[in-house]
Amino acid sequence: MQIVEIDRLSYAYSGNLVLDNISFTIDEGDILGIIGPNGAGKTTLFSCMLGLLDDYTGTIKILGEDIKKKNSKVFKGIGYIPQKKIIEQNFPATVEEIVSLGITTTGKVSKEKITLALETAGLLVQKDRRVGELSGGQQQRVLIAKAMVNNPKLLILDEPVTGIDLEMQNKFYSLLKRLNQKNNITIIWASHDLDAVNRFATSVACINRSMFFHGKTYEFFENPDLLKAYSESSMQAHMHLHNHTHRG
Amino acid sequence: MILEVLEFGFIQRALIAGASVAITSSVIGLFLVLRRNSLFGDALSHAAFGGIAIGLATNIYPLWTGLTLSILGALGITKLRQSAKIPADATVAILLSSGLALGILLISLSGGFTLDLFSFLFGSIMLVSVEDTLAILAMTGVILSIIILLYRQLMYITFDEEQARVSGLPISKLNYLFIILASVAVIVSMRLVGILLVSSLLVIPNVTALLFNKGFKKTALISVSISIFSVVIGIAISYAANLAPAGTIVLVSTTVFLTVLAARYYSKKKQIVKKLEEARS
């Protein structure tokens, strides 16, 4: 079963084409690593998929439904972990309270669901701690647990481990792998870490405004020409960004 | 002596209405403070001032005109923030000064300040009637019921609006509903402390409660307790010492804030000294 079907997706911002004619599908149970240089359009692609941007052309179907229809059932089937950002230290909420936010219906929350999500993310001991007191890696696991309480079919993660130490990164990836294998959750994950993508993803999509590779992970990493092309495009994007920063 | 005072009908009404207002304003205020919108209450109350002046000038019940203008103003600035991308603090300044300007203009046209207008500006908790008390209780009941029902959704938007949107919550509808609730809370609070001091009831108990470093529910409960304590003690002191109730209530609230702040500072200092001593030994 195809969980995501994207067909000829294009998006322009202030006259600049950010995504150009992107098409791909993701099968149930896949872990798709999306790689691409800074400014390649990864976050924009996610914003379109999550319904945060809807003035794009082409179609995005998730769980068989066109995302533009804003079907709340579809959104409940998606868990989203944004780029790591610092949760305000003084925000008055415990880990358990944040995880309970994942249940978006009104009325009583299911304690069992919350406990299970906390257990899965390895946070049961910290459930009464304030979320702002936790380390970056632990905060990301809180967001995973929050996404898990709705039993999502699809997890979308946007560079979730940036700025987190290596040990916590590995724990985080192991958790993702466990969720994928035990709960059959399909995962789309944007990353700059080629090594992690090589180890954990089952397929790879490489974008730089347009799609220049989509296939199995080994097909990408065992092809020196593709790797070389990716490094060159990353370097160009880095130089471009560097020049802009210095001019600015 | 205390029991005798409590037998007075106006004191009973002041305490009941005051406690209701304390609960409503601290609950609504927690969301405002956490959204960095502490001055929103001030903007709403100043817009209400313009509305009240319209009511007094046209002989329409001023609280209704105040509420209407406050809600319209709040919805207007929310729309401005979303569509024209004007910064939040600037839109607050626009609503605040426009409401005040409208009020001043209408007052000058009608020949100056009246007693009624003074009671709206500075509060008149000792003068609340039985009807006022019932109206305040009813509005408190409605606001609290809605907040309890939607508490998790409102907390989610306060924690992270983007993630709440992605999870399928109707953000715009919830934001508009919250603005209407905040406007009603401000109108209710005006009876107690007046237009000029409304935001203190929304902000000070919550900022104090945040110093306790607790979770969301506990912070809300601490804030409500501080708010009720400030109102009850404020009314008692103002009656005993013949002081203005609104000012006394707010100063009691500020005193509680400063006391908690000092206690926290002292406790942190003690912890540092203890750690240093442990490190030395």
Side-chain angles (χ1 to χ4, degrees), chain A residues 50 52 75 80 82 85 87-88 91-94 97-98 100-101 103-107 109 130 143 146, chain B residues 34 36 149-153 155-156 159-160 162-163 165-169 210 213-217 219:
Chain A
L50 294 163
L52 295 170
F75 285 108
Y80 168 56
K85 58 179 174 185
I87 296 174
E88 215 179 294
F91 193 84
T94 61
E97 282 176 326
I98 293 296
S100 78
L101 297 179
I103 301 170
T104 48
T105 46
T106 47
V109 296
R130 273 162 61 108
L143 298 184
K146 176 170 71 63
Chain B
L34 292 175
R36 300 185 182 280
L149 191 70
L150 298 174
Y151 137 81
R152 218 164 347 98
Q153 284 84 339
M155 181 181 162
Y156 203 168
F159 174 65
D160 190 321
E162 188 184 72
Q163 283 189 54
R165 191 185 299 276
V166 168
S167 73
L169 287 181
L210 286 172
N213 285 338
K214 299 288 179 195
F216 203 86
K217 279 183 192 164
T219 303

Side-chain angles (χ1 to χ4, degrees), chain A residues 25-188:
Chain A
T25 58
I26 305 166
D27 291 331
E28 188 174 14
D30 257 8
I31 300 181
L32 173 71
I34 297 191
I35 54 174
N38 282 330
K42 300 187 292 286
T43 301
T44 307
L45 171 66
F46 287 167
S47 297
C48 293
M49 291 173 71
L50 294 163
L52 295 170
L53 295 172
D54 51 13
D55 47 346
Y56 56 81
T57 58
T59 53
I60 301 173
K61 280 187 183 176
I62 293 183
L63 305 170
E65 278 272 345
D66 189 333
I67 209 76
K68 273 192 179 165
K69 287 183 184 163
K70 307 265 178 199
N71 184 341
S72 62
K73 268 189 189 163
V74 174
F75 285 108
K76 282 191 178 111
I78 306 172
Y80 168 56
I81 318 293
Q83 272 186 20
K84 187 195 160 289
K85 58 179 174 185
I86 296 157
I87 296 174
E88 215 179 294
Q89 204 186 349
N90 291 327
F91 193 84
T94 61
V95 169
E96 191 176 18
E97 282 176 326
I98 293 296
V99 173
S100 78
L101 297 179
I103 301 170
T104 48
T105 46
T106 47
K108 217 170 179 279
V109 296
S110 155
K111 275 265 175 197
E112 292 92 62
K113 271 188 176 181
I114 293 170
T115 308
L116 191 67
L118 285 167
E119 211 169 50
T120 311
L123 289 165
L124 212 49
V125 183
Q126 282 107 331
K127 75 181 175 77
D128 294 320
R129 283 187 67 187
R130 273 162 61 108
V131 70
E133 294 169 356
L134 302 181
S135 70
Q138 287 172 322
Q139 286 182 359
Q140 285 302 78
R141 281 196 280 146
V142 173
L143 298 184
I144 286 262
K146 176 170 71 63
M148 288 306 297
V149 281
N150 263 339
N151 298 324
K153 295 215 176 312
L154 173 68
L155 271 185
I156 297 179
L157 303 103
D158 191 359
E159 298 180 24
V161 294
T162 311
I164 293 174
D165 68 66
L166 209 60
E167 194 192 336
M168 290 306 280
Q169 281 189 27
N170 284 330
K171 278 188 182 173
F172 188 80
Y173 288 133
S174 302
L175 171 63
L176 288 186
K177 197 83 187 167
R178 215 164 53 239
L179 293 175
N180 171 256
Q181 286 170 350
K182 270 180 74 179
N183 303 39
N184 198 31
I185 295 174
T186 308
I187 294 171
I188 308 175

Side-chain angles (χ1 to χ4, degrees), chain B residues 20-160:
Chain B
S20 302
V21 168
I23 295 168
T24 319
S25 53
S26 58
V27 169
I28 291 285
L30 181 57
F31 292 101
L32 288 175
V33 169
L34 292 175
R35 288 180 188 199
R36 300 185 182 280
N37 243 337
S38 294
L39 283 176
F40 198 62
D42 253 336
L44 291 176
S45 66
H46 283 73
F49 176 66
I52 284 164
I54 292 175
L56 291 173
T58 55
N59 276 334
I60 301 172
Y61 187 53
L63 278 186
W64 292 129
T65 48
L67 181 63
T68 309
L69 209 73
S70 164
I71 291 175
L72 287 177
L75 295 177
I77 63 167
T78 306
K79 199 78 194 156
L80 258 184
R81 280 179 198 179
Q82 287 167 352
S83 49
K85 307 271 180 224
I86 294 174
D89 55 345
T91 57
V92 163
I94 292 171
L95 183 59
L96 191 147
S97 44
S98 308
L100 192 61
L102 179 65
I104 292 170
L105 192 79
L106 288 171
I107 291 161
S108 69
L109 285 175
S110 62
F113 281 85
T114 64
L115 188 62
D116 272 353
L117 201 62
F118 254 86
S119 78
F120 284 115
L121 276 175
F122 300 106
S124 53
I125 190 69
M126 298 297 196
L127 301 177
V128 288
S129 62
V130 175
E131 291 77 20
D132 284 340
T133 311
L134 289 175
I136 288 172
L137 280 174
M139 286 202 241
T140 301
V142 171
I143 292 173
L144 277 187
S145 307
I146 297 173
I147 292 284
I148 289 169
L149 191 70
L150 298 174
Y151 137 81
R152 218 164 347 98
Q153 284 84 339
L154 292 172
M155 181 181 162
Y156 203 168
I157 297 172
T158 308
F159 174 65
D160 190 321

